[in-house]
Amino acid sequence: MNNPQGMKRGRAAGGRNRVHAPRRRRALISIIVAVLFCGLVGTTAMAVLHLQRNITTAPLGSRFPAEDPVPDGERNILLLGSDARDESSTAYGSDHGSRRSDAMVLVHFAAENERIDAVQLPRDTLMQLPACEDHGHGAYPGGYGMINSALNYGPACSVTAVEELSGVRIDNFIELDFEAFITVVDALDGLPVCLPEALKDPKAKLDLPAGQQTVNGKDALALARTRHAVGDGSDIARMDHQQMVMSAIVQHVTSREVLTRPDRLYSFLDAATSAMTVDPGLESLSSLVSLARQLADVPTSQISFLTMPWSPAPQNPNRVVPSAEAQTVFASLRADRPLSGEEKKAKKKQKSKPVRSAPVRITNGAGLSGLAAEYSAEVSALGHTVSGIDTARQLQASTVLLVDGSDAALVTAKTLASDLHLDLTPQVGAASGVQLVLGQDIDQLDQETAAPQRTPEAKEGPTPRSADAGLCSG
């Protein structure tokens, strides 16, 4: 695969760390593992044997000694979305035999299964890649390059590269490739999505209208791959969209029409296990079931997702390098600390304010950089669940509070307005739960809270979010 342009030129120095909305990174694990656990109960011994034979294994390649003790319950898993191709396939490019990780997520299970922290690693991250032994894809002597290229020498090389980048020991990996992704979605009879606007990207073979629709596997893959139809056309923007597509899959997989239909469920499990390459520690169905149980025991509110904090690479503004904040994030994973800060403070917030019953999405329509992230942190501290943040396509003169019409959303919206000291009346609109659209009048409305002065140069810090958002942003 030819290396795509990672980001547009002209990206602001000290680039914004983009937080990715909810449910998403649970996606790959849930797709491959959680539903597998649910489905094993109803399958025959022959079917289970078939599913077992589907699974492909590859060496782990961790640089940490195998005998090193692992803290009780702690576990780090690397999720790889692969663009692997062979000479018989030209649907997604002309490379022959190349393998690069189109998505990389470092997932940390905390001790005693208290929470899950997932950090997505930009594929265009430049680093000094470590040498890799030959595990069937050739040996690599090491060198300076993009982290996604490590997969060309096998998943073990990706594992060692991520360990080098983060200092975090990786215990397992799960890889899913492009064309298998198509098969998985088609096994579900398509993927229901809601697009807030039409998306068109000839390079990704994407041409979809706005609104609710069910897309097939090829279109779902195009949604996950597109860069030019979303945001600023950068790889960072695509990462946000990839996660949204994954969240839509999780919603569909765990819905009524999949788990309750043995025919559809088995087709999905057959496609999913055929799509997987895992390390020997996950090669048995029983080990995947164990992972599913571990995942199921973690409350959704304790699952957070974060993009690795980054800065434009000095030698190439179209690539990124880890920022100083990234080292803080990785240190938190190594020390088993919540990404959001001190555990005691997090627990104190949870006790002081109950979580509201409807999620809140915050949209920046005021044209002030960092505004949505600022309000997101405040709203979260008040005990509400923030499902995500985004930026309006056009400036909004007035701040509005939209609800989906449900009683839960109405109650949450009224409480939110009161908590923020905003004189707003909830309006029924195209929202999922509650949506706070910040307009250009927000400073006047927000004077009572003595909000700090905001400037276009303000930058967002790494603020993880709990899992709860889909493709349609309202």
Side-chain angles (χ1 to χ4, degrees), residues 216-254:
N216 61 23
K218 289 184 178 180
D219 285 337
L221 176 59
L223 278 172
R225 295 190 65 221
T226 184
R227 288 189 295 116
H228 303 286
V230 295
D232 60 5
S234 70
D235 185 56
I236 301 295
R238 171 167 65 173
M239 287 165 60
D240 185 56
H241 216 244
Q242 284 177 341
Q243 293 177 344
M244 289 181 179
V245 171
M246 292 296 182
S247 71
I249 293 178
V250 173
Q251 294 173 46
H252 188 43
V253 166
T254 57

Side-chain angles (χ1 to χ4, degrees), residues 329-415:
V329 168
F330 294 141
S332 293
L333 295 182
R334 293 193 298 269
D336 195 26
R337 294 193 303 263
L339 296 182
S340 56
E342 297 179 16
E343 191 168 6
K344 291 182 179 179
K345 290 183 178 179
K347 290 182 178 180
K348 183 177 180 181
K349 288 178 181 179
Q350 291 174 4
K351 292 179 181 179
S352 62
K353 286 282 186 175
V355 176
R356 311 303 175 187
S357 55
V360 179
R361 188 171 189 85
I362 301 174
T363 299
N364 182 359
L368 296 172
S369 180
L371 187 64
E374 180 183 333
Y375 270 85
S376 174
E378 184 176 356
V379 170
S380 295
L382 289 167
H384 296 270
T385 298
V386 177
S387 64
I389 62 175
D390 58 14
T391 302
R393 292 181 61 83
Q394 297 179 337
L395 292 178
Q396 306 294 313
S398 301
T399 300
V400 295
L401 191 57
L402 303 177
V403 297
D404 59 17
S406 66
D407 290 341
L410 286 169
V411 171
T412 300
K414 291 178 180 179
T415 305

Side-chain angles (χ1 to χ4, degrees), residues 128-163:
Q128 186 64 38
L129 296 167
C132 297
E133 297 178 3
D134 186 355
H135 293 290
H137 301 277
Y140 177 58
Y144 197 73
M146 295 200 306
I147 193 170
N148 73 321
S149 65
L151 187 60
N152 203 39
Y153 297 90
C157 197
S158 291
V159 167
T160 55
V162 173
E163 288 185 337

Side-chain angles (χ1 to χ4, degrees), residues 166-232:
S166 65
V168 175
R169 168 183 174 152
I170 294 176
D171 304 297
N172 302 105
F173 74 81
I174 300 175
E175 178 188 352
L176 180 70
D177 69 56
F178 268 1
E179 295 196 31
F181 178 88
I182 295 176
T183 305
V184 169
V185 173
D186 285 341
L188 295 171
D189 291 341
L191 179 65
V193 298
C194 177
L195 302 181
E197 59 183 6
L199 295 177
K200 189 170 185 177
D201 180 0
K203 291 186 177 181
K205 304 182 185 298
L206 174 68
D207 188 1
L208 293 173
Q212 295 183 352
Q213 57 200 289
T214 297
V215 298
N216 61 23
K218 289 184 178 180
D219 285 337
L221 176 59
L223 278 172
R225 295 190 65 221
T226 184
R227 288 189 295 116
H228 303 286
V230 295
D232 60 5

Side-chain angles (χ1 to χ4, degrees), residues 410-428:
L410 286 169
V411 171
T412 300
K414 291 178 180 179
T415 305
L416 177 66
S418 176
D419 287 346
L420 293 176
H421 304 288
L422 298 177
D423 185 16
L424 295 173
T425 301
Q427 304 174 28
V428 177

